[in-house]
Amino acid sequence: MLEVVRAHYRDPRHAAALIALLDGYSRDPAGGGKPLSDFARDHLVDALAARPHVFSVLAFDDDLPVGLVTAIEGFSTFACRPLVNVHDIAVHPEHRGRGIATAMFAAVETIARERGACKLTLEVLSGNAPARALYRKLGFDDYRLDPALGDARFMQKWLDD
């Protein structure tokens, strides 16, 4: 039976599930194709717990962890309200296609509404067609203000070598 819960970072079961699922996602080509670093494995849960603007949702199939979403509260200056950026979305490969991501997104949306958020945001690789299809089904669309200016592009600049 599927159970979706807000993660409690100090709960050893939740902490272990978060690290295992995130490591699996990190090893996937869509997550970069490399395992989590030892540093991330050792410090991530404490770092998340120290940030009140971060929350995670876990999905369990009975006792087996099968899904993870980590979200980070930001702020919309135009709306003058919080927004919630869905940062990590992972469903164990053997459990995909069963509505787990949809259930986790419903929980994230509930938490975002409780926080007074005006919107959810996320990034997705342009070549990840299954994820893009799911997000569109859930009501997400490309970010744009004026169609004449086109869609926004997510960009990054690493600060560490």
Side-chain angles (χ1 to χ4, degrees):
M1 181 165 133
L2 186 67
E3 178 187 22
V4 176
V5 299
R6 183 169 177 170
H8 297 283
Y9 298 125
R10 301 292 181 211
D11 179 327
R13 178 177 170 245
H14 286 193
L18 187 147
I19 294 297
L21 288 162
L22 191 61
D23 183 61
Y25 173 47
S26 181
R27 290 170 187 265
D28 188 271
K34 298 177 184 173
L36 287 180
S37 69
D38 290 340
F39 179 83
R41 288 176 160 283
D42 293 343
H43 299 283
L44 180 61
V45 174
D46 288 337
L48 293 173
R51 289 167 170 77
H53 54 282
V54 176
F55 65 90
S56 300
V57 170
L58 292 165
F60 292 92
D61 184 359
D62 292 322
D63 285 334
L64 182 68
V66 295
L68 164 70
V69 172
T70 297
I72 302 168
E73 183 180 306
F75 191 77
S76 169
T77 54
F78 289 168
C80 191
R81 291 176 49 198
L83 60 81
V84 171
N85 179 260
V86 178
H87 188 65
D88 297 314
I89 306 134
V91 175
H92 192 283
E94 294 175 14
H95 296 269
R96 292 179 183 157
R98 296 180 35 212
I100 293 167
T102 299
M104 291 189 301
F105 267 95
V108 168
E109 187 170 330
T110 296
I111 295 166
R113 289 182 186 279
E114 288 170 358
R115 289 174 172 240
C118 63
K119 66 180 175 178
L120 297 175
T121 63
L122 56 77
E123 302 89 43
V124 60
L125 296 172
S126 60
N128 191 341
R132 290 177 59 86
L134 171 67
Y135 304 149
R136 289 205 187 281
K137 179 180 160 191
L138 294 175
F140 287 86
D141 195 6
D142 295 330
Y143 178 85
R144 68 183 68 81
L145 297 172
D146 179 342
L149 295 175
D151 299 333
R153 297 287 182 244
F154 182 72
M155 299 172 70
Q156 69 178 3
K157 175 183 176 181
W158 287 102
L159 300 178
D160 296 330
D161 293 334

